[in-house]
Structures are given as C-alpha cells and as structure tokens.
Amino acid sequence: MRKVVLGDNLDVLASLPDGAVDLVYIDPPFNTGRAQTRRTIRAVRDDAGGDRTGFQGNRYRTIELGSAAYADRFDDYLAFLAPRFREARRALKADGSFFLHVDYREVHYCKVLLDEVFGRESFVNEIIWAYDYGARSTTRWPAKHDNILWYAKDPANYTFNYDAMDRLPYMAPGLVGAEKAARGKTPTDVWWHTIVPTNGKEKTGYPTQKPLAILERIVRVHSNPGEVVLDFFAGSGTTGEAAAKHGRGFILVDDNPEAVRVMAKRLAPYGAEVEGFEWIPGEGEQPLLSI
C-alpha cells in the first residue's frame, strides 16, 4: 500500500482498522504562533538585468512561482493532538512504534500526554536531532535542535533492527583498530545532521521539510520490508519517500492541497495512489529552486 490522502487526519485515522500500520512518524506543527512560509522561485539567465550572481559570475533574474504556507498556531495544542495520538496507538500493530517530532517549546507537554496515552513504561527514547544552521541569538543560547519522542506500543516487544542501523566514522579510527574503524560506530540518541540544504536536490519547496536521512534511519531500524508506515502530518512526503526507498508501504495524510500536490509529484515514481486530489504533471516542467 502506497497512498497519499487529502483530508482531515482525524477522520482518516478513525477509518483505519485496529493494528493496520507497523510504524507511525509524525511531525505536526510546532505551535510556534508564526506562519511558516516557503517561497518557490526559478532563476533565469539574465546578464543585463539579473538580481543575483551564480556559477562563474553569471547573472540570473529571479521569478517567483508561488509560496506555500500554513498557520502554526493552535489555541489548545494538546487538545488538538490527544485524539490523534489515541487513534494512532489503536492503529498500530502490537510490535509497532510511534515517533513524535516536535520542538523544545512543546516537547515536555507532549511527553506527559504521550505517557497518558501509551503508558510511561512505553517510552523508550528521546532523540535529539541537532543541526548547526541559521541565525544565532544574542540574548540566549541559540536553539539548534528538535526533539523526537519514541514510544513502543508494547515495551517488551517492538521492532528494532540493530543491523540495519547506519554507521558513523570514528573520530580517532587509529585508536579502535582497523576492523572497528572499517565497520564504524552506531549512532547514539543525539543525531547530528544538517537541515535540508536550500539549493539541494532534496528540497521540495514545502515549509519545515525534514531531511530524508533522518526518516530513512527511523524507517530502516523500526520497520521491516513490506510493512506500512503512517504519517498523518505528512507535509512534503519525506516519510513516504524513505519508506518507498526501503521497500515499505506508506499512508500519508495532509489537509493542505499544496502539501498533497508536492507529495503526488515527489512520490509518483514510487507508484503512490492519491485520494481526494488529482495531480496532473505540467508539460515541460522546469526545475525549481526553493529559498
């Protein structure tokens, strides 16, 4: 099953049978109180009137093609999330895992809520995704990390494919021996990875897009080939691409037509079925540069 659904995620969750999915990852709005916006542009060669300089000093003129945005504000954030957490737990298989990606503003409140929904004994890890990018505050320590909470539906029986874990190079390989150095070390609960590069091939132009490598690690370790991954705040579809690349199915849900358009285009090569939205690729589509 590889499905993208345009609709209210609570309605879609309620329609799923008990134990329908093997892994849940969600990256809901962080309740920052700000509008999240991403402009999509195309740069056209214009030596006379260009507004930016590119490779080898060539001049380019910027054409704005559109923007994607959503209001990241909820009057009662936990009341919004609670019924969705409960439905997600019901839809998980007995050995399934649930991952919540959130930021420092809300993580402590979400932890208490998830302890109530899953049980405190089901909490396994808090993963810190750390990145060194962007502006730096002059009035406090700059916040350069997100939090990912991992809960297992059954803390005594969950999928954890240790051998599928990607390995990291040792900082001092000469101290550990040739065999260990060649194998590399396993990650800890602190994951260092840059954000999606502004001009990288991975960038879709959707706000708050997360790096594919982060999702690939979660998918490989916490699910098996042929299983189904659910993301009901799917945004740009990174979870779906990570699942498809590693032989998993996916169910992606979002109520933003722009998000579903991005996902439909991104996941068409993987055979994604789209419900509630028709995406027709335009003829001669130009490569997009997102800023």
Side-chain angles (χ1 to χ4, degrees):
M1 175 187 296
R2 293 180 176 177
K3 183 179 293 188
V4 177
V5 182
L6 174 63
D8 184 284
N9 55 18
L10 189 56
D11 293 339
V12 177
L13 284 167
S15 72
L16 296 176
D18 293 356
V21 300
D22 302 273
L23 171 64
V24 176
Y25 166 91
I26 57 170
D27 173 23
F30 287 176
N31 201 26
T32 63
R34 301 190 304 268
Q36 300 290 342
T37 305
R38 176 75 61 183
R39 286 196 303 141
T40 303
I41 66 169
R42 186 169 78 234
V44 178
R45 180 75 177 271
D46 186 344
D47 293 326
D51 59 352
R52 63 172 59 199
T53 302
F55 182 62
Q56 294 184 336
N58 294 323
R59 297 289 291 172
Y60 292 85
R61 175 167 44 88
T62 302
I63 301 174
E64 182 165 346
L65 301 177
S67 63
Y70 66 88
D72 186 6
R73 181 191 297 275
F74 295 92
D75 291 334
D76 193 335
Y77 190 56
L78 296 184
F80 168 75
L81 291 176
R84 290 159 173 82
F85 288 172
R86 294 189 181 96
E87 288 291 344
R89 184 186 184 281
R90 179 192 59 78
L92 266 178
K93 290 185 179 175
D95 60 351
S97 289
F98 175 94
F99 286 80
L100 172 68
H101 189 145
V102 71
D103 79 352
Y104 68 93
R105 298 175 184 87
E106 299 290 346
V107 64
H108 308 93
Y109 306 106
C110 290
K111 169 72 166 61
V112 173
L113 176 58
L114 285 169
D115 283 349
E116 176 187 331
V117 172
F118 281 84
R120 289 189 66 179
E121 69 282 358
S122 290
F123 173 69
V124 185
N125 269 129
E126 178 181 20
I127 297 162
I128 302 299
W129 169 37
Y131 44 86
D132 191 11
Y133 185 87
R136 293 181 180 271
S137 172
T138 60
T139 59
R140 61 174 181 166
W141 298 108
K144 298 297 177 186
H145 78 277
D146 287 356
N147 307 68
I148 304 174
L149 301 178
W150 169 24
Y151 282 76
K153 188 169 185 178
D154 180 353
N157 176 35
Y158 53 80
T159 299
F160 189 78
N161 297 317
Y162 179 84
D163 291 336
M165 205 179 290
D166 54 306
R167 296 277 179 152
L168 307 174
Y170 283 95
M171 294 184 67
L175 299 179
V176 300
E179 183 179 346
K180 272 192 171 183
R183 186 170 65 245
K185 60 183 178 181
T186 57
T188 67
D189 61 357
V190 178
W191 297 359
W192 287 92
H193 195 289
T194 188
I195 66 169
V196 180
T198 300
N199 59 351
K201 292 181 179 179
E202 189 178 324
K203 179 67 79 173
T204 65
Y206 195 79
T208 71
Q209 180 183 349
K210 299 305 184 290
L212 182 59
I214 297 292
L215 271 300
E216 287 188 281
R217 180 178 287 176
I218 293 172
V219 165
R220 284 198 310 266
V221 175
H222 298 281
S223 68
N224 299 301
E227 295 184 341
V228 177
V229 183
L230 169 65
D231 184 346
F232 51 90
F233 289 99
S236 66
T238 303
T239 303
E241 183 169 359
K245 283 184 65 176
H246 296 281
R248 279 71 164 169
F250 57 77
I251 302 172
L252 307 180
V253 186
D254 208 291
D255 65 356
N256 185 342
E258 174 62 17
V260 175
R261 185 196 68 79
V262 170
M263 285 189 277
K265 181 177 180 179
R266 183 179 188 179
L267 299 171
Y270 299 103
E273 173 190 351
V274 182
E275 287 189 4
F277 184 90
E278 183 177 6
W279 174 72
I280 302 174
E283 294 184 6
E285 289 189 333
Q286 298 293 322
L288 301 182
L289 173 67
S290 301
I291 64 172

